[in-house]
Amino acid sequence: MREFRQQFPFFDTSTPSIYFDNAATTQKPQCVIDAIEHANIQQSANVHRSSYQLAASVTDAYEAARNNVAALINAPSARNIFWSKGATESLNLIAHGLGELCLAEHAMWQGDEIIILTSEHHANILPWQQLASKLSHFKSLRITPVSPDFNGNYDYAVLRAAITNNTAIVAVAHVSNALGCVHPVAAITQWAHQHNALCIVDGTQAIAHIPVDVQALHCDAYVGSSHKMFGPTGVGFGYATHALLDALPPYQVGGEMIEYVSFDEVRFQSYPLKFEAGTPNISGVLGMGMAANFVLQHQAMIIQSEHVLMQYLLGQLTVLNDELAVTTEIGLASTNNIIIIIGAQNPERISLCSFVLNGISHYDVLRLLDKDNIALRVGHHCAMPLMQHLGIDGTIRVSLCAYNTDTEIDGFIAALRSAIKRLVSSDDVIANSRAFDTSSVAFSASTPIGDQFAALQGYDVVFRQIMLSSKACPLLSEQYHTADYHVAGCEVDVWLGQFAGQFYGFANSKIIKGLLAILLEKANTLTPSQRTRFDFTEYLAQLGVSHHLSQSRVDGLSRVIARLSA
Ligand code: PLP
């Protein structure tokens, strides 16, 4: 395993010290980096156009990469693979093409319903929604989501029952990026085919973690992204059966995908080239071909290591949960399960664990983990409908890869323990936050909030003051936590309202609530015309709180500021 990790130069640098965001993108091994560099230096010629030696050899390499991806997913031939910008584009291409087949009343399209899972990534929801709206003048298409229970666990009998003769398409992820569960795609395909429906599989989170055999799955299409499987960004692939590829029309038109063009007639190439209009991402494809080889070569080790890592992580989370439940000193009721893993009962899972912390904003935890140089993702993970179904605004997602280590998990658990204790203790028990020198911090209800930051120095002290300030936020009552008062664009839900000239706000995150308290206090002392001229961003900078904002949170707060200044 150490040898495996050593192939990734990323780990030679120290920032971030722990990378647990592998579901967002994986690191690249040296062989992939070399392949991309080689492509840019030695293989800079266009493909499928010229026959001089360099161009021909690049075209050969380009097609060899297609073979590699075909081998990785056991496609019957490289012709079944088309290149794209990534899984998103592949799904859009397929949905668009199927829409054309529907309009043409092609025999491959039967029914008027598209079934998806509630936990799908937006990339496997929006193309179908758009399709339904595009076809609405022609056909009334229903998108039917099949949901897990309220803890994120699927009962596949529900999915099976939902598929009927009205079903045109079943579009599911092989592995959920938000829950980590592996859906039984072979069975799902069988159920779909029993009703003459097509089964389209989003394999984005599967390919680097479990063996994929599209022939054994019998699915009609399967898509993936290179950057989730050790390859470069901006490139991906789609697989489809010969029958589907033959039937699907081109997605874009232009150079290289034609056989003949005149002003009277156009004849397209056959697949896969008919889906590859324009000059492709050649170095990306070559890098992806290398990545596909890399996965195949290390697959057994990857699966084994990730299983062991995941068991270790789950074990350590349980230990931490038990420890926190009996730790009365931080003010938790002893019956509380503070760490709640979402979808823990799903029968098969990859090394991805999504959890929520009872009563603690995932966003506040992220700020503290980020300070310890731990990279992981919190939020909705591009699966907003799932979060709506679960009644939460996001999860903390740890996505492990074979190059991660037990030591990193230990480091993460220690940082998580510290973050939880710190966030819980910040309610008021200053003495409990012993690990941090916050002795200079106190909150005074009689002093303006902004003034209380004046003499503060250092991250921990300012952090603590922001947390204390959160209690002074003029709260927008729950009845106004509606779309009308919602401030879009923040990483956590923020609501803002103005009544009788005074602003009120709300956010689950204490950090955001603290920052709102600072902003609203100021806004509420200004006249409308003063507010439009006041520089709230500069004000936050002057108070020394700007570095407690991530870039996206700055973006989010800038929406709050825009409303205050309007
Ligand atoms: N599908 C799933 C399950 C994903 O996790 C992602 C990305 O996170 C995508 C699709 C979209 O991938 P990309 O952004 O590479 O197109």
Side-chain angles (χ1 to χ4, degrees), residues 240-467:
T241 58
H242 288 293
L244 185 55
L245 288 171
D246 193 40
L248 288 176
Y251 183 49
Q252 292 187 332
V253 288
E256 207 30 54
M257 48 78 69
I258 46 82
E259 202 173 76
Y260 176 80
V261 180
S262 75
F263 288 115
D264 303 316
E265 190 193 351
V266 177
R267 286 198 302 273
F268 301 129
Q269 293 256 29
S270 179
Y271 60 89
L273 294 185
K274 74 171 167 178
F275 302 114
E276 296 174 11
T279 300
N281 178 357
I282 299 170
S283 63
V285 164
L286 299 183
M288 184 177 184
M290 181 58 80
N293 257 354
F294 181 82
V295 174
L296 254 188
Q297 193 187 339
H298 295 92
Q299 199 162 52
M301 188 284 296
I302 290 173
I303 293 166
Q304 165 67 9
S305 301
E306 291 183 352
H307 174 74
V308 172
L309 284 168
M310 181 67 170
Q311 292 314 307
Y312 186 64
L313 171 69
L314 293 175
Q316 293 307 101
L317 284 173
T318 306
V319 170
L320 178 58
N321 217 2
D322 294 346
E323 181 194 320
L324 292 169
V326 294
T327 310
T328 49
E329 71 161 321
I330 65 162
L332 292 169
S334 59
T335 49
N336 266 358
N337 235 354
I338 194 158
I339 302 171
I340 301 162
I341 296 177
I342 308 293
Q345 305 307 321
N346 282 307
E348 212 187 322
R349 293 159 72 199
I350 62 158
S351 51
L352 184 156
C353 175
S354 241
F355 60 92
V356 292
L357 297 173
N358 205 351
I360 297 178
S361 155
H362 53 258
Y363 203 80
D364 294 347
V365 172
L366 177 75
R367 293 305 335 135
L368 291 171
L369 296 182
D370 186 33
K371 180 160 180 288
D372 288 340
N373 274 326
I374 296 174
L376 47 70
R377 180 143 175 217
V378 305
H380 55 67
H381 315 298
C382 298
M384 275 192 183
L386 173 69
M387 302 303 151
Q388 288 151 12
H389 171 74
L390 299 175
I392 55 180
D393 60 353
T395 73
I396 300 171
R397 184 182 72 181
V398 176
S399 52
L400 301 171
C401 181
Y403 45 55
N404 290 127
T405 63
D406 286 1
T407 313
E408 289 178 330
I409 293 175
D410 292 341
F412 162 70
I413 293 286
L416 182 63
R417 174 189 292 109
S418 154
I420 293 171
K421 290 189 174 186
R422 200 166 171 190
L423 290 164
V424 174
S425 70
S426 72
D427 267 345
D428 21 47
V429 199
I430 293 177
N432 274 339
S433 55
R434 285 185 298 266
F436 313 98
D437 176 16
T438 53
S439 47
S440 56
V441 178
F443 187 78
S444 156
S446 57
T447 312
I449 301 169
D451 293 357
Q452 299 188 41
F453 284 85
L456 300 182
Q457 294 282 332
Y459 184 97
D460 285 336
V461 171
V462 174
F463 175 84
R464 180 92 181 126
Q465 192 70 37
I466 294 174
M467 302 296 278

Side-chain angles (χ1 to χ4, degrees), residues 23 86-89 91 121 123 173 175 177 202 204-205 225 227-228:
T88 302
E89 189 177 54
L91 287 165
H121 188 282
V175 172
N177 66 305
D202 173 2
T204 312
Q205 293 294 344
S225 279
H227 70 104
K228 313 264 193 197

